[in-house]
Structure formats: structure tokens, C-alpha cells
Amino acid sequence: MKTEMKKVYLDNMATTPVLPDVRRAMLPFLTESFGNPSCLHEWGDVPRDAMEAARRQVADLIGGNPEEIIFTGSGTESNNMAIKGLAMAQQKKGKHVVVSAIEHFSVLNSAKTLEKWGFEYTTVPVDKNGVVNPEDVRKAIRSDTILVSIMQANGEIGTIEPIKEIAKITKEKDILFHTDAVAATGNIPVNVKDLGVDALSLAANMFYGPKGVGALWLKKGTRIMPLLDGGIQEGGRRAGTENVAGIAGMGKAAELARVEMKVRMENLIKIRDYLIKELPLKVSHVIVTGHPQNRLPGHASFCVEFIEGESMLMLLNAKGVGVTSGSACTSRALQASHVLLALGLPHEIAQGSLLFGLGTDNTKEDIDYVLEVLPPIVERLRQMSPLYSKFLKQEKGE
Amino acid sequence: MKTEMKKVYLDNMATTPVLPDVRRAMLPFLTESFGNPSCLHEWGDVPRDAMEAARRQVADLIGGNPEEIIFTGSGTESNNMAIKGLAMAQQKKGKHVVVSAIEHFSVLNSAKTLEKWGFEYTTVPVDKNGVVNPEDVRKAIRSDTILVSIMQANGEIGTIEPIKEIAKITKEKDILFHTDAVAATGNIPVNVKDLGVDALSLAANMFYGPKGVGALWLKKGTRIMPLLDGGIQEGGRRAGTENVAGIAGMGKAAELARVEMKVRMENLIKIRDYLIKELPLKVSHVIVTGHPQNRLPGHASFCVEFIEGESMLMLLNAKGVGVTSGSACTSRALQASHVLLALGLPHEIAQGSLLFGLGTDNTKEDIDYVLEVLPPIVERLRQMSPLYSKFLKQEKGE
Amino acid sequence: MPIYSEKVMDHFTNPRNVGEIENADGIGEVGNPVCGDMMTFYIKVKNNRLEDVKYKTFGCGAAIAVSSMVSELAKGKTLEEAMKITPESVVNELDGLPTVKHHCSNLGAQALHAAIENYKEKQKAGGQKNG
Amino acid sequence: MPIYSEKVMDHFTNPRNVGEIENADGIGEVGNPVCGDMMTFYIKVKNNRLEDVKYKTFGCGAAIAVSSMVSELAKGKTLEEAMKITPESVVNELDGLPTVKHHCSNLGAQALHAAIENYKEKQKAGGQKNG
Ligand SMILES: Cc1ncc(COP(=O)(O)O)c(C=O)c1O
Ligand SMILES: Cc1ncc(COP(=O)(O)O)c(C=O)c1O
């Protein structure tokens, strides 16, 4: 069958493809311009210029200044650097940190590490759509709070958080505010000045740049302890020979994201809304997770009741569709997504998690294909699910 | 003039070019195989395989097991992870660390950070050739010492350290031993079992791989605290989406280094010895730094008296020659190389540092070119040096 | 390479013996949705042999493949032979499982054994009710 | 882009007024090899004007370019005018210097001013010895 051969990548929240222009921007630094940007001879000149150009491109994407950009090796590194580095630099003022319950593990586990180092942290809850209430942040703030970290958008449920409102509170209380914008940057407009934050994490592979490059925007004058000690790259704040090719790619990807953002968003929102509307019509007992509207443009996430996510995604894979799940079985840690549980979903429902990360390549046809292949998969898995038979028996009043 | 146009890159200790085969190994991961290796659908399969193949290639280069390889973002990150992570994991046993005086800043400054965290560290001296005396390590070890870190080879003076002998002492005392083999790995035979170490850092851009990828080899069963908290990539020891393209490149570079090592070494040693023999014959008052024989194959380093390194390298650059210097002026920190000072050289001599990192591309002709263009440069700078006029006056007995 | 062997994929995409047995001689239920996998095994016993084995499984690809493999291995075996089916033997028959999925193989054997125990208890309690 | 402006490179590769002045009217020596740069300025004064300015410099590209620029700026100026040569004006004339190299511009002006002070002291001490 022809449709059997179709390939539909719908996992752009895990990583995006690298755009051809981005790859082209990288190649010189894997060929003739291989030099180390720290070098004073001419082999250092082009790489150094490329780094500075990329710094400006990334700064422009988020409305910051180039000097405020610190290139890192991933969104995870940016988050670790922000949480640990800002807390350590502020520890004389206090040792308490506030995060939300749905932060990425790179934030949550950094907070846990701070705890080992003698800090304390408070976790702010979210509502059933995954939204943090700024007043909860206010309540969590203590006299010794030095840092608040709330993500701009969640990668698992797509919900966009009220960063601006939270920033008003942190400003009023004179506390540093970091936002993990790894899932958001490049996909929705992000402006550090508008948001009012002090630090912001981003990663290239979330907006069609290469994997292995991230950045931390750090407001001018904000003190931070480096995570990587050593040489004086990145103004002494992030030592180590720079991934010049990756950084050049990130710069190009940032520029493209800035220029094309409006068009990309319009297209994505159209097909995302179509998927969110249609899927629950084609499959019974499906819950949309995350905020129904105020979510990332390419993000559609569901819980399919009575069955488990990994088996769905494997069968979708057999049909050429690449998606992901927050089920315990898909996590190598074998725990259901803390994000889904924070929404108040019970474990058996969280296990049916399915997450579509739509990208610029996707079309309505791709969605139609999913809507065609998914229902029989669900049906088949339900037919073999003990939870589903129990449910049917209960319905019949047995 | 024809020779004016010649380009001779002699800064392979700063970074090496990326070999064409290495670049070719990377490209699929910037095109069709862009997927995230953590993903369970087919887009994750090829990247995951590539990571595992690279893990084996890197392990094979250093005689380790693939499971013992943790990929990082740089040699600096590997060193930070080793020093901080091993110390933190061992802190109940003691809080004292031993390093040498000529370690790279990524080791030294990590030790300084440990100091802020309540640890202490002792610095072991080196002799005038930059060699650590194992007995000095023994003397530095205290009852609360938990970690020794001595580099395998120094990047500035090329000296190779007696790691095997030091490992005997650490083993006897039951203390973890890390070696920074960033400058060594890929350039000389490195075998973790032979060496007897517990952890070893390496970086791809030191052996014709890409910048922005390193690895830490960690002996099976050795506990470490991650530097980057978050997801469970690299067995939970180094979180963050992996730089798959870079890792694939590192793997290929490791394989080529292993296969070609003997030939590369023979060629390099020939032209290196030629440079080390000839340069002091063409230029008076030149000191060879580092060990005269027991040094990295492509490494030749000197101090040219009475003049300063940066001005030499800029004039060499004008002749198309790329080299580096450990002078205060070339370091953005404006301090003379701690390595050269540790050899016992006075500041004014350390300022005349010149470092040649010969690579597989270099030929005897390249060295002849340097030997042709350098003497007039030195002469010219000496003519304008107040130190040289003082010296001449003293010689004349004024 | 996919994380699962071809054998696992085969059993996952074409699981054998799926279903329930009405008036089963023994039922074994293990797991819960917190850990991610649930299996219910149904057995029909005749002359001390597993005449039929069926199951329902909620869980990942490994859990489903393990259930299928266990049902195949068990069918036709005596109760004693069936009790000797170990997680390791299931993993081997499937040409291996990723380390993180080994617990699934435990569940499969456990569910089968639980069904057999259930049969034995029923036997003890009330004779061959559904014999 | 190279770290230095074209103007710096020009003064570095073709430094003006290099040398010593025998029987100089004033000598100013600043810096030391620890910080990496040393400059010795020599001046010849006639009618309160810098008739000649020469120098010897041990140091980086910036240090050499700064010395050259200072010597050019100073030559022909009155002592008072020369004392007004500031590090900033030197940096400007060179079309800028990397931030880490700004200290070199300090040294250049300092060395010139030290030579002028040295001249003035000599004047005070023993009249126009080498006038
Ligand atoms: C919100 C958020 N933060 C951080 C990360 C970590 O990014 P990486 O795995 O690239 O380090 C992710 C990755 O998906 C994310 O969605
Ligand atoms: C011995 C040694 N260790 C560590 C490093 C740091 O490597 P990187 O700058 O690639 O992080 C270097 C770099 O030259 C080195 O020579």
C-alpha cells in the first residue's frame, strides 16, 4: 500500500531537522575556517567573526544585546548554569529558590543539587491546564529567596506561562528571575525586555539549528558563577574551545526563526488546531493535555485512555509516523511524566500520553494521515487492554 | 614575492583541522539523520547507532570499554566533570585534592572552585623540563586525599608526564587518579589500562575531529556526580540532547588516529626534531621549553629572549604562519603562562614564548619556511627592544 | 537500530493468543498503571497441562511481546514445566530486551505463575469446578 | 576580522621613530616584563618643543603601535601640548584598540610624560645641560 511508505516526522519538540541554510552556515567551520576563535593569527579571524555574528543573530531573536549571550552546549547546560550559577553567586543574600512543578528535569534536578549544597527550594503548582498562577509564586517567595525559575513554555504540554506577570512580582521583591525558554524560543516571539526576566535559556535544536548548542541570555551586570571553569572564552563565564560550527548554525537558525516566525506560526497553528479538534472526534476517550489555546504553535498533546503511550508510538512508527510520549515506559527512568501528574491526571491516564511536535515541514495531509492511522492502532491496543475490558464491563454495569 | 603568499598553519595545539573523512561522518546527522537518539521511533535509530559506534571508536583509541565513555562538550567540560564530580562523590572520604603546577586552567580553576566548596588542594611542582616527580605526588598525598589529577601531556610545553608511575602510588594509597589527556590523546598511544588511571579526559579537536566535543573515560564502577543535571543521556551522567554530528565526527577521528598513529608520529617527530635543532642555530638566545625528547610528537616550543611573543606571532602571521604564544600579552588575562613560570623561567623570558603545534599536513618545507622568515622578525623586534639594548650594553661591559 | 529485536517486534506487532478465556481455570493479574504495565493471564488446564493460555496487557512494546512469548512458551506445557518459565528464558527467547525493559519479562512470568497459583488454590478450595 | 584595526597594524608593522636618542634631553621608562610591556621614550627638546621623539618598546602589537603613534603625535608639539596627549586620544588616533589592550595606551602616554618630567627635572637640577 502506498500510504504505508509515508514518513511523517511529528517530534519537533524532541529535536527539529537542521535547515539547509543552517547547515550551509556551518560547513565553512568544518572545512577551511576550522581555526580556534581565540587565536590571534588569521586562522582565528573568520571563526571569531562568525561567533560574533551569531551572537548578534541570537540576541536579535530575543531582543537582547550580543554581549549578554553566553553560548553553551545545550538547553540543559544553559539551565544548569542559570540555576546553579545564579544561586551560587547570590548565596550571601539567601539560599532559597522557587521553581514550578512542571519544569524540565534540567531545572528540577539542578534545584535538587542546590539542595545538596545547602539551599532549599519550593515547587509552585500548576492548574489543570499547566498554568502557573503568579500569586502562587508570590506566596512561595520568602525573605531568603534569591532566584525564581519558571519556564516560558512547557515542551510536554505546550502551555505558555505568564512570565511577564511573574516578572513583575520578582522585580517588586528584587529577586532574580530565570526562564527556561528552550521550548519557546524560535517558536513564539520571545523578548527579554518585554518579559522582564534576568536570564533566559534557549537551544538551537528547538528551532531548526544543530544539536549540541544552546545559549544563556544573561542581563548585563548580573553576576553568575561559571559552571565550566577554565579559559576565558565567553568572557570567562563558559570556558572551553567553542563549537564554532554549531554556534554559526545557531546564529543562522535564529535569524531564520526571527524572519519567518509569523508565517511559521500561522501555518502551524492552523494544522495544530485541526489536529486538536479532529483527534478527539476520531478516537473516543481522549484528553487534550495543556492549555487548549495558549500553547506552542506546533504543539498538540493528548492522553488516550486505557492504553499505554510507547506501544502507540511504536505502532505509529510502523506506519511511518514519529511521535513521542510521556508515559513511564517511554522514559528510561520508568516514571510517568511529572508534568502530566502535576496537571492532576491519574497514572493510568498519564500512561496514555501522546505528544505531537509539528514542524515547518508538516502539512494538513500529514495530520490527515495521522487521523487515518491512529484510530485502528488505538482500537487494537484497547482490544488487548485489561483496563479497557474493565471499563467496558463497568459501562455495561457489570 | 611568491613565498609571501605561503600559508603555514602551525597551531595544532589550539585546534586541528577537521579531516575530510571526519566531516563526511558528521554530515548525515546535519541532514536526513537529524533525529534525537533518545527517541523510540525510527528517526532515533540511526543517531543512536552512530553514538554507540562512536563510543566504541573512542573506547578503542584509549583501550577502554564503550560503556566507560561519557561524551561531553569539550576537554574543559571533561576536566570540570572529573575534578568536581569525582571530588563531590568522594567527599565523605576526605576533602583534599592534588594537582600539578602546570595543569590546564580547566583543572586548576576547578580545583579552585572545590576550594570554595570547602575542599583543599595541593599543587605539585615540576622540574625545569616540566616533569612531575612521582615522589612529590606521594609527598603531597594526605590521609584525606581523595583525588589526584596530573595531566598526561602539557599543551604548552609538550612534556609527557610519568602517569604510570604516579598511578602506582595512587593505587597503593587507594586514591582516585584522573589524567587530563586532552593534549595527548590521538597524538601518542594512550591506554587507560596501561596507565592505570581511573578517569581520563580527551577532546576531538586535538586529533582532527570537530570542536565542541570531548569525552571523559571513567573506569567502570567509579562514582561521579554529574556536572549537568537533567535527563538520562549518557547513563544519567551527562544530561542534555547529544551533539550527534560532533560525536560521530569524534568517533571517526578516533578511529583514524588509532589506525594512522604510528605513521603520523614518525613524520611529526622528524620535522619537530628538525625545528627544535635548527631554530636555535638560526636565532641566538633561544631556549627550548619542555622536555627535549619526551614530548608530544608535533610539539616544539621556545622562548626567544628580549622580545615578546604576541608581536612575533603577529609578524609571523603577516608572513602567513599561524603560531601561538604563552606571553602575558597573548593571554586575555594578561598574565604570563603559569606553565612557563613553573619551569622556573623569569617573566621576561616567558614573555618571549613561541609555540609550534605541528600537524599531519605539515612538511619539512613548512619548517624551512619558518626558519627563513623568523630570524629577520626576531632581529627587527630586538632592534626595537629596550631589553635587548640593555643586554648589548652589558655584553660590551658598559 | 531499533531498540527492540526483530523477534520482539514480531511478537509486539502480531501478538499471539491475545484475549480472555471465559470461565478460565486460573487468572493471574500483575502490575499497575503507576509502574506502567499491567498483565492479566487466563489459563485453561486439562490433565495438568495448559490447554490454553490467553492474556490482556496494558503496557509498552516489551510488555506486549513478553506476554505473547510467555503465552506461546506456556501453551501445552505441564503446570510444573510452566512454573519453570523464568524471566531470563523469556528474554532469551525474544533475542534480548533493553536493560530498562527487563522488568517487563518479570511481569510476564509472574502473571503466568499467578494464574497457575490461582488455579491451584481454586483446586484446593473447591475441587475441579471448571475442570 | 583581525583583533587590531588597520591603523594599528600599519603602526605595528611600520613603526615610526623607533630608536634611541644619544644624549637625550629626557628619558622616560615605564612598564616591566611581568605585565608584558616595557617602553623607553627619548626626547630632544628645542625651544620648549619636542624636536625629536624616539623610543624602544618590548611588548605586543598594541604596545608597539601605541609607541609609534605617541611618538608621531608628540613630535613638534610644545611640552605643554605633549602633556595633554591622553591614552584616549592615542586609542582614538589608532581607530580603537581591543579592551584588554587599553593599558598599552596608558603606558605610551605615561612613558612620554615621564620623559618630559625627566627633562624638566634635569632642567631644574642643572640648567640646560644638553640644551
Ligand atoms: C523546556 C525545556 N527545557 C530544557 C530542555 C532541555 O534541552 P536539551 O535536551 O536540548 O538540553 C528541553 C528539551 O526538550 C525543554 O523542552
Ligand atoms: C592539556 C589540556 N587540557 C585541557 C584543554 C582544554 O580543552 P578545550 O579548550 O578544548 O576545552 C586543553 C586545550 O588546549 C589542553 O591542552
Side-chain angles (χ1 to χ4, degrees):
Chain A
M1 277 200 324
K2 189 172 151 285
T3 48
E4 292 274 312
M5 304 310 295
K6 198 171 161 75
K7 298 276 176 211
V8 183
Y9 182 72
L10 290 168
D11 202 3
N12 287 284
M13 294 308 298
T15 201
T16 53
V18 180
L19 288 175
D21 278 348
V22 168
R23 184 169 53 253
R24 269 191 286 276
M26 297 173 69
L27 288 181
F29 307 99
L30 299 171
T31 47
E32 72 279 6
S33 301
F34 65 85
N36 187 322
S38 298
C39 288
L40 297 176
H41 48 67
E42 65 173 88
W43 283 265
D45 293 343
V46 175
R48 189 165 50 243
D49 290 350
M51 296 253 326
E52 295 322 304
R55 210 181 290 286
R56 175 162 294 283
Q57 287 164 319
V58 171
D60 284 349
L61 176 64
I62 58 171
N65 297 318
E67 320 82 81
E68 295 171 327
I69 301 294
I70 302 164
F71 287 113
T72 69
S74 63
T76 290
E77 186 186 330
S78 301
N79 282 339
N80 273 261
M81 180 172 176
I83 303 296
K84 297 175 188 170
L86 291 173
M88 290 301 267
Q90 296 276 315
Q91 59 178 319
K92 279 193 187 130
K93 277 182 67 182
K95 289 197 158 200
H96 179 250
V97 170
V98 175
V99 298
S100 90
I102 61 166
E103 294 302 310
H104 187 262
F105 279 124
S106 50
V107 168
L108 284 182
N109 291 350
S110 289
K112 278 184 193 147
T113 293
L114 283 181
E115 207 173 30
K116 283 190 206 143
W117 294 351
F119 287 75
E120 292 178 69
Y121 73 93
T122 300
T123 307
V124 180
V126 293
D127 70 13
K128 69 180 205 318
N129 291 329
V131 181
V132 171
N133 181 342
E135 286 310 309
D136 286 337
V137 175
R138 186 192 294 279
K139 274 181 237 153
I141 290 174
R142 315 191 312 203
S143 61
D144 61 343
T145 304
I146 48 162
L147 175 65
V148 171
S149 182
I150 309 284
M151 70 205 320
Q152 194 178 0
N154 184 288
E156 269 184 75
I157 54 170
T159 301
I160 298 171
E161 301 297 342
I163 299 305
K164 235 167 138 162
E165 288 66 41
I166 299 169
K168 280 190 197 122
I169 297 169
T170 55
K171 209 161 276 172
E172 183 189 307
K173 305 250 182 193
D174 197 20
I175 293 168
L176 290 183
F177 184 18
H178 164 256
T179 188
D180 170 4
V182 168
T185 307
N187 296 309
I188 56 171
V190 168
N191 185 298
V192 291
K193 277 172 208 134
D194 257 23
L195 292 173
V197 294
D198 301 292
L200 181 143
S201 300
L202 62 155
N205 65 310
M206 289 299 192
F207 50 89
Y208 309 95
K211 281 180 288 304
V213 210
L216 179 66
W217 170 84
L218 190 64
K219 191 171 165 178
K220 205 177 168 175
T222 311
R223 280 191 55 230
I224 195 161
M225 295 291 295
L227 196 61
L228 300 183
D229 294 310
I232 46 164
Q233 292 93 347
E234 300 299 290
R237 294 177 296 184
R238 201 268 186 178
T241 299
E242 302 92 337
N243 178 358
V244 181
I247 289 168
M250 183 174 195
K252 190 68 194 175
E255 185 192 307
L256 293 170
R258 184 173 55 77
V259 173
E260 297 173 7
M261 177 147 328
K262 208 167 152 272
V263 177
R264 288 187 192 174
M265 282 181 68
E266 278 170 12
N267 292 337
L268 284 171
I269 289 172
K270 222 174 279 168
I271 54 176
R272 173 201 73 186
D273 284 348
Y274 178 63
L275 176 58
I276 290 183
K277 191 175 127 271
E278 291 294 319
L279 190 87
L281 300 178
K282 303 265 172 180
V283 179
S284 65
H285 303 290
V286 160
I287 293 161
V288 177
T289 58
H291 198 284
Q293 287 87 40
N294 195 19
R295 63 190 299 139
L296 291 172
H299 197 291
S301 54
F302 307 91
C303 282
V304 181
E305 287 190 67
F306 314 121
I307 57 178
E308 188 276 334
E310 191 205 284
S311 51
M312 267 189 283
L313 81 82
M314 308 260 332
L315 291 172
L316 281 168
N317 184 47
K319 294 283 180 191
V321 179
V323 297
T324 192
S325 164
S327 80
C329 298
T330 44
S331 89
R332 270 182 283 175
L334 297 179
Q335 280 169 353
S337 153
H338 66 287
V339 175
L340 298 176
L341 298 181
L343 303 182
L345 294 173
H347 275 93
E348 63 266 34
I349 288 181
Q351 301 296 15
S353 144
L354 213 50
L355 155 48
F356 299 86
L358 282 52
T360 51
D361 280 350
N362 293 126
T363 59
K364 180 170 169 293
E365 270 173 39
D366 293 338
I367 307 300
D368 281 328
Y369 182 67
V370 169
L371 293 170
E372 175 194 329
V373 298
L374 184 61
I377 289 172
V378 171
E379 186 51 28
R380 178 174 164 184
L381 289 169
R382 281 185 178 162
Q383 284 312 322
M384 60 187 299
S385 161
L387 288 177
Y388 192 59
S389 15
K390 271 184 198 156
F391 165 76
L392 289 180
K393 281 172 196 157
Q394 272 170 5
E395 268 215 323
K396 278 197 255 167
E398 282 187 31
Chain B
M1 279 199 326
K2 190 172 152 283
T3 47
E4 292 273 314
M5 305 309 296
K6 197 170 163 75
K7 298 276 175 208
V8 183
Y9 182 72
L10 290 168
D11 202 4
N12 288 283
M13 294 308 298
T15 201
T16 53
V18 180
L19 287 175
D21 278 348
V22 169
R23 184 170 50 253
R24 269 191 286 277
M26 297 173 70
L27 289 181
F29 307 99
L30 299 172
T31 47
E32 71 280 7
S33 302
F34 64 86
N36 187 321
S38 298
C39 286
L40 298 175
H41 48 67
E42 65 171 90
W43 283 266
D45 293 344
V46 176
R48 189 166 50 244
D49 290 351
M51 295 253 325
E52 295 323 304
R55 211 181 291 285
R56 176 162 293 285
Q57 287 164 319
V58 170
D60 284 349
L61 176 63
I62 58 170
N65 297 317
E67 323 80 81
E68 296 171 327
I69 301 294
I70 303 164
F71 287 113
T72 67
S74 62
T76 290
E77 186 186 331
S78 301
N79 282 339
N80 273 261
M81 180 173 178
I83 304 295
K84 297 175 190 171
L86 292 173
M88 290 301 267
Q90 296 277 316
Q91 58 179 318
K92 279 190 188 132
K93 279 183 65 183
K95 289 199 157 198
H96 179 249
V97 171
V98 175
V99 297
S100 89
I102 61 166
E103 294 302 310
H104 187 262
F105 278 124
S106 51
V107 169
L108 284 182
N109 291 349
S110 290
K112 279 185 193 148
T113 293
L114 283 181
E115 207 173 33
K116 283 190 206 142
W117 295 350
F119 287 75
E120 292 177 70
Y121 73 94
T122 300
T123 307
V124 180
V126 293
D127 70 12
K128 69 180 201 322
N129 291 329
V131 181
V132 171
N133 182 342
E135 286 311 309
D136 286 338
V137 175
R138 185 191 297 278
K139 274 180 238 153
I141 290 173
R142 315 190 312 204
S143 61
D144 61 343
T145 304
I146 48 162
L147 175 65
V148 171
S149 181
I150 309 283
M151 69 204 321
Q152 194 179 0
N154 184 286
E156 269 183 72
I157 54 172
T159 301
I160 298 172
E161 302 297 340
I163 299 304
K164 236 166 138 162
E165 287 67 40
I166 299 169
K168 282 192 195 119
I169 297 169
T170 56
K171 209 161 275 171
E172 183 189 307
K173 306 248 180 193
D174 197 22
I175 293 168
L176 290 182
F177 185 17
H178 164 256
T179 188
D180 169 4
V182 169
T185 308
N187 296 309
I188 56 172
V190 168
N191 185 298
V192 291
K193 278 170 208 134
D194 258 23
L195 292 173
V197 294
D198 301 291
L200 180 142
S201 302
L202 62 155
N205 66 310
M206 288 299 191
F207 50 90
Y208 310 95
K211 279 178 289 303
V213 210
L216 179 66
W217 170 84
L218 190 64
K219 192 171 166 179
K220 205 176 168 175
T222 311
R223 281 191 54 229
I224 195 160
M225 296 291 294
L227 195 62
L228 299 184
D229 293 311
I232 47 166
Q233 292 93 347
E234 300 299 290
R237 293 177 298 183
R238 202 267 188 179
T241 299
E242 302 92 338
N243 178 358
V244 181
I247 289 168
M250 184 174 194
K252 190 69 193 173
E255 185 192 307
L256 292 171
R258 184 174 54 78
V259 173
E260 298 174 5
M261 177 149 329
K262 208 168 152 270
V263 178
R264 288 187 192 175
M265 282 180 68
E266 278 169 13
N267 292 338
L268 283 172
I269 288 171
K270 221 174 282 167
I271 54 175
R272 174 202 73 186
D273 285 349
Y274 178 63
L275 176 57
I276 290 182
K277 191 176 128 269
E278 290 294 317
L279 190 86
L281 300 179
K282 303 265 172 178
V283 178
S284 65
H285 303 290
V286 160
I287 294 160
V288 176
T289 59
H291 198 283
Q293 286 87 39
N294 195 19
R295 62 190 300 139
L296 292 172
H299 197 291
S301 53
F302 306 92
C303 283
V304 180
E305 288 191 66
F306 314 121
I307 57 178
E308 188 276 335
E310 191 207 282
S311 51
M312 266 188 285
L313 80 82
M314 307 260 334
L315 291 172
L316 280 167
N317 184 47
K319 294 283 180 191
V321 179
V323 297
T324 192
S325 164
S327 79
C329 298
T330 45
S331 88
R332 269 182 284 174
L334 297 179
Q335 280 169 354
S337 152
H338 66 289
V339 175
L340 298 177
L341 298 181
L343 303 182
L345 293 174
H347 274 94
E348 63 265 33
I349 289 181
Q351 300 297 13
S353 145
L354 212 50
L355 155 49
F356 298 87
L358 282 52
T360 53
D361 281 349
N362 293 124
T363 59
K364 180 170 170 295
E365 269 172 41
D366 293 338
I367 306 300
D368 281 328
Y369 182 66
V370 169
L371 292 170
E372 176 195 328
V373 297
L374 184 61
I377 288 172
V378 170
E379 185 51 30
R380 178 174 163 183
L381 289 169
R382 280 184 177 163
Q383 284 312 323
M384 59 187 299
S385 162
L387 289 176
Y388 193 58
S389 14
K390 271 183 199 157
F391 165 76
L392 289 180
K393 279 172 195 155
Q394 272 168 7
E395 267 214 325
K396 277 198 256 167
E398 282 186 31
Chain C
M1 218 168 61
I3 60 161
Y4 290 131
S5 69
E6 276 180 36
K7 201 95 163 258
V8 172
M9 287 310 293
D10 176 33
H11 277 268
F12 166 60
T13 41
N14 305 299
R16 287 57 149 168
N17 309 310
V18 178
E20 297 181 21
I21 299 176
E22 291 220 23
N23 302 319
D25 297 332
I27 299 180
E29 213 178 298
V30 299
N32 63 63
V34 175
C35 82
D37 300 295
M38 283 176 71
M39 295 179 194
T40 312
F41 265 74
Y42 303 85
I43 56 171
K44 197 88 195 161
V45 182
K46 199 163 185 181
N47 298 332
N48 198 42
R49 276 195 193 271
L50 293 170
E51 197 188 43
D52 201 7
V53 181
K54 287 196 181 296
Y55 59 87
K56 287 228 164 167
T57 295
F58 166 94
C60 61
I64 290 172
V66 160
S67 309
S68 168
M69 178 55 81
V70 167
S71 74
E72 275 217 324
L73 290 176
K75 234 171 146 176
K77 282 212 166 58
T78 66
L79 298 186
E80 292 70 31
E81 286 165 351
M83 288 303 282
K84 284 186 188 138
I85 294 173
T86 60
E88 294 73 37
S89 62
V90 177
V91 172
N92 284 342
E93 289 290 336
L94 286 169
D95 296 343
L97 274 180
T99 323
V100 289
K101 298 291 185 182
H102 277 192
H103 75 110
C104 297
S105 62
N106 296 339
L107 283 184
Q110 267 174 37
L112 173 71
H113 298 167
I116 295 172
E117 296 297 347
N118 175 252
Y119 163 77
K120 287 182 183 164
E121 270 163 36
K122 280 189 193 169
Q123 290 288 91
K124 265 190 220 152
Q128 276 164 277
K129 256 186 198 162
N130 309 308
Chain D
M1 220 168 61
I3 61 162
Y4 291 132
S5 68
E6 277 181 35
K7 200 95 163 259
V8 172
M9 287 309 293
D10 175 33
H11 277 267
F12 166 60
T13 42
N14 305 298
R16 285 58 149 170
N17 309 309
V18 179
E20 296 181 21
I21 298 177
E22 289 218 26
N23 302 320
D25 296 332
I27 299 180
E29 213 178 300
V30 299
N32 63 64
V34 175
C35 82
D37 301 294
M38 282 176 73
M39 296 180 194
T40 311
F41 265 75
Y42 302 85
I43 54 172
K44 196 89 195 163
V45 183
K46 198 164 183 181
N47 298 332
N48 199 42
R49 279 196 188 270
L50 294 170
E51 197 188 42
D52 201 6
V53 179
K54 286 193 182 295
Y55 59 88
K56 287 226 163 170
T57 295
F58 167 93
C60 62
I64 291 172
V66 160
S67 308
S68 169
M69 178 54 81
V70 167
S71 74
E72 273 217 327
L73 289 176
K75 230 170 146 177
K77 281 211 165 59
T78 65
L79 298 187
E80 292 70 33
E81 285 165 351
M83 288 304 283
K84 285 187 189 140
I85 293 172
T86 61
E88 294 73 39
S89 62
V90 177
V91 171
N92 285 341
E93 289 290 336
L94 286 168
D95 294 343
L97 275 180
T99 321
V100 289
K101 297 292 186 182
H102 276 192
H103 75 109
C104 296
S105 61
N106 295 339
L107 283 185
Q110 267 172 38
L112 174 70
H113 297 168
I116 295 175
E117 296 297 346
N118 176 251
Y119 162 78
K120 285 184 183 164
E121 270 163 35
K122 280 190 193 169
Q123 290 288 90
K124 265 192 219 150
Q128 276 163 278
K129 257 184 196 163
N130 310 310

